[in-house]
């Protein structure tokens, strides 16, 4: 699991003995409140804004698909090369696809790469569409010490007026950010830092990309 809860054997035996004694003396209640899930949102730092748009035209954030292993809201940890675990008690407030798409739209709007950047799912006309595929989104517990927030994504830029949607530009990005400790808060903070780095690099690459003739 991402967040380890360690209970000593002596403490566990003591609790069991105390409960057994309570049963003998007058009953021991096993009822307890249901555990409450904790929900989180990533909060990446927005990139610096360009003085003027680097690219003419407008951009729409298209589909940001997530690999099936990481598609749900529950946090995922990697315990070995082949074993992943989901965390029942810690999850994102909204599905990762929507959460990351909205963060991406805010970042590119702030960066001022295009004359206008439309938020995802808005039925607006645009000159270009940016799609993406997130291949990795997890806390890596294979390392010694606190986990590493791992994020890997590929972006694809295509013209909106071409029905085939064949991209004319694409690039892969990856971030691995060490968490300050093994808490859920530290994981989300590290993931937000990694996303900030990816979005900043993406904005610079898009600003320098050669666009096809209109």
């Amino acid at each position: 699991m991402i967040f380890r809860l360690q209970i000593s054997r002596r403490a566990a035996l003591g609790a069991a003995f105390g409960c057994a004694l309570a049963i003998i003396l007058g009953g021991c209640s096993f009822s307890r409140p249901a555990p409450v899930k904790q929900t989180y949102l990533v909060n990446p730092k927005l990139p610096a804004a360009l003085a003027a748009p680097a690219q003419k035209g407008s951009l729409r954030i298209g589909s940001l698909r997530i690999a099936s292993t990481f598609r749900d809201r529950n946090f995922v940890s990697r315990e070995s090369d082949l074993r992943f675990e989901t965390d029942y008690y810690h999850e994102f407030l909204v599905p990762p696809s929507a959460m990351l798409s909205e963060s991406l739209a805010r970042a590119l709007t702030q960066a001022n790469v295009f004359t206008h950047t439309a938020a995802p799912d808005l039925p607006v006309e645009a000159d270009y569409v940016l799609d993406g595929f997130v291949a990795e989104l997890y806390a890596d517990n294979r390392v010694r010490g606190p986990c590493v927030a791992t994020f890997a994504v590929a972006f694809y830029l295509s013209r909106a007026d071409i029905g085939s949607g064949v991209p004319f530009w694409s690039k892969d990005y990856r971030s691995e950010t060490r968490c300050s400790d093994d808490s859920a808060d530290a994981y989300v903070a590290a993931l937000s830092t990694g996303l900030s780095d990816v979005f900043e690099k993406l904005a610079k690459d898009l600003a320098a990309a050669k666009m096809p003739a209109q």
Side-chain angles (χ1 to χ4, degrees):
M1 298 296 292
I2 299 175
F3 317 109
R4 303 174 180 87
L5 178 60
Q6 297 181 346
I7 303 177
S8 68
R9 184 178 181 182
R10 178 177 297 178
L13 291 175
F17 176 78
C19 191
L21 181 62
I23 292 175
I24 296 173
L25 296 179
C28 178
S29 173
F30 290 95
S31 63
R32 62 181 62 182
V36 178
K37 289 187 177 184
Q38 298 181 21
T39 56
Y40 297 82
L41 281 174
V42 295
N43 186 29
K45 181 181 177 181
L46 298 179
L50 299 174
Q55 303 291 358
K56 296 180 180 179
S58 57
L59 175 72
R60 177 170 59 83
I61 304 300
S63 170
L64 187 60
R65 296 183 295 116
I66 313 291
S68 58
T69 305
F70 319 108
R71 191 172 297 161
D72 295 331
R73 292 164 53 192
N74 297 88
F75 288 0
V76 176
S77 64
R78 188 171 189 175
E79 305 299 326
S80 69
D81 290 348
L82 300 177
R83 184 166 65 90
F84 292 82
E85 292 185 0
T86 56
D87 189 330
Y88 177 81
Y89 300 103
H90 303 90
E91 64 182 17
F92 296 115
L93 181 62
V94 296
S97 178
M99 178 181 66
L100 297 176
S101 294
E102 292 172 1
S103 296
L104 174 62
R106 288 197 302 270
L108 293 183
T109 297
Q110 172 66 24
N112 199 31
V113 177
F114 293 85
T115 54
H116 176 70
T117 298
D121 300 326
L122 288 181
V124 297
E125 295 291 335
D127 299 298
Y128 305 101
V129 178
L130 184 68
D131 297 309
F133 178 74
V134 176
E136 298 179 69
L137 179 62
Y138 59 82
D140 196 342
N141 280 332
R142 296 175 297 172
V143 296
R144 183 183 298 275
C147 65
V148 172
T150 303
F151 176 72
V153 60
F155 288 111
Y156 308 91
L157 186 64
S158 59
R159 287 179 54 175
D161 59 350
I162 298 180
S164 63
V166 176
F168 62 85
W169 178 94
S170 65
K171 192 164 184 179
D172 297 333
Y173 298 87
R174 181 180 182 86
S175 68
E176 295 178 335
T177 309
R178 173 75 70 165
C179 303
S180 60
D181 55 52
D182 279 324
S183 67
D185 288 45
Y187 168 61
V188 176
L191 182 59
S192 298
T193 298
L195 289 173
S196 300
D197 295 339
V198 168
F199 292 163
E200 181 177 5
K201 292 176 182 177
L202 172 64
K204 292 179 179 179
D205 291 340
L206 289 176
K210 183 177 180 181
M211 298 294 170
Q214 294 290 332

